[in-house]
Amino acid sequence: MRLGVNIDHVATVRQARRTFEPSPVFAALIAQQAGADQITLHLREDRRHIQDRDLELIKELVIVPVNLEMAPTVEMKEIALRVKPDRITLVPERREEITTEGGLDVAGMKDFLRDYVREFKENSIEVSLFIDPEIKQVEASADIGADAVELHTGTYANLWNDHRFHEAEKELKRLEEAGRLAKDLGLRVYAGHGLTYQNVKGVLRLKEIIEELNIGHSIIANSVLFGLERAVREMISIIKGG
Ligand code: PXP
C-alpha cells in the first residue's frame, strides 16, 4: 500500500499564531524525503489551515503526486484547474465541523457531480471521491465517471479507538465489500481518515483491495512528540551559547 501524507495540521499549528512557522511546504518536502508516495492537503473554504499560497508552492516544489482535497464548489474548481494538482479528492465540507465528518453523498448529487468532474478529466486530473463504504455510493461513483474512491475509515477508527473491536471488525467487512465492488467496477480504491499507528493494522489486511492510505493527524501529532527533544535542546544551546 502507498502512503499519502496529509500535512494540513502543520498549517493548523502555524495558523494558531498567524505566523510563518511551521511551514506545510517544508513539511511536504520532508515527508517526500522520508518516502511519502504522495502529499495530500485540504484547502478548506474557511482557510483554517492550508492557504492558497501553500498549495501553489507545494505543487511547484514537490515531485511526488499532489492530492488536493476540496469541496465541490465553483471557487475550488477555479483554483484546482489553475494549480493543476495530480489528483482532486472531493469531500463534503461544513464550516462548523472539526474535521470532514462523513463521506460525500455521491448518490444524492449524481447529475451535479457528473458535470462537475468533466473539466478535471479533460485536464488529465485524476478524480477521487471520498465516500462512506456503502454500495450505493460506490455504484454512483462509478456511474458519474470518477477514477477512484477513497473509502472513509473514520467509523472503523473510532470503534477501534473505543476498544469496540467486534464492531470495528464489522466495519472492516463493510470497507472490504465496498472496496471490492469499487475495484470490480474499475475504480481505484484508496482509504483514509482517523488512522493511527495502532488502528492502521486492521486496514492493512485489505491490501489486495486498497492501494493507498491517506494519513494526516496521527503522523503530524507524533512528529511533534518525536521532534520535541531536539527542538528543546536546540533552544537551550542557543540560550546557553549566547
Ligand atoms: N482523507 C480525507 C479525504 C480527509 O478529508 C482526511 C482529513 O483531512 C484524511 C484522509 C486524513 O485524515 P486524518 O487526518 O484523520 O489522518
Side-chain angles (χ1 to χ4, degrees), residues 4-9 40-42 44 49 67 69-70 89-92 97 99-102 128-131 150-154 157 191-196 213-220:
V5 176
N6 180 316
I7 42 80
D8 291 352
H9 294 307
T40 296
L41 67 169
H42 186 173
R44 291 187 71 104
H49 40 52
N67 170 27
E69 296 173 358
M70 53 183 246
T89 300
L90 297 179
V91 300
E97 70 191 0
T99 181
T100 312
E101 280 163 6
S128 177
L129 307 177
F130 184 53
I131 57 167
E150 178 172 336
L151 300 176
H152 196 323
T153 51
H193 211 283
L195 297 176
T196 66
L213 299 178
N214 282 294
I215 306 182
H217 184 268
S218 189
I219 292 178
I220 302 306

Side-chain angles (χ1 to χ4, degrees), residues 16 57 78 114 120 123 136 164 183 200 210 220:
L57 285 171
E78 279 171 14
R114 190 178 287 113
F120 292 101
N123 280 271
K136 71 170 181 181
R164 292 158 66 185
K183 217 174 150 189
V200 74
I210 298 172
I220 302 306

Side-chain angles (χ1 to χ4, degrees), residues 130-149:
F130 184 53
I131 57 167
D132 291 324
E134 291 172 7
I135 300 303
K136 71 170 181 181
Q137 300 299 349
V138 173
E139 286 172 344
S141 301
D143 191 15
I144 68 136
D147 300 299
V149 287

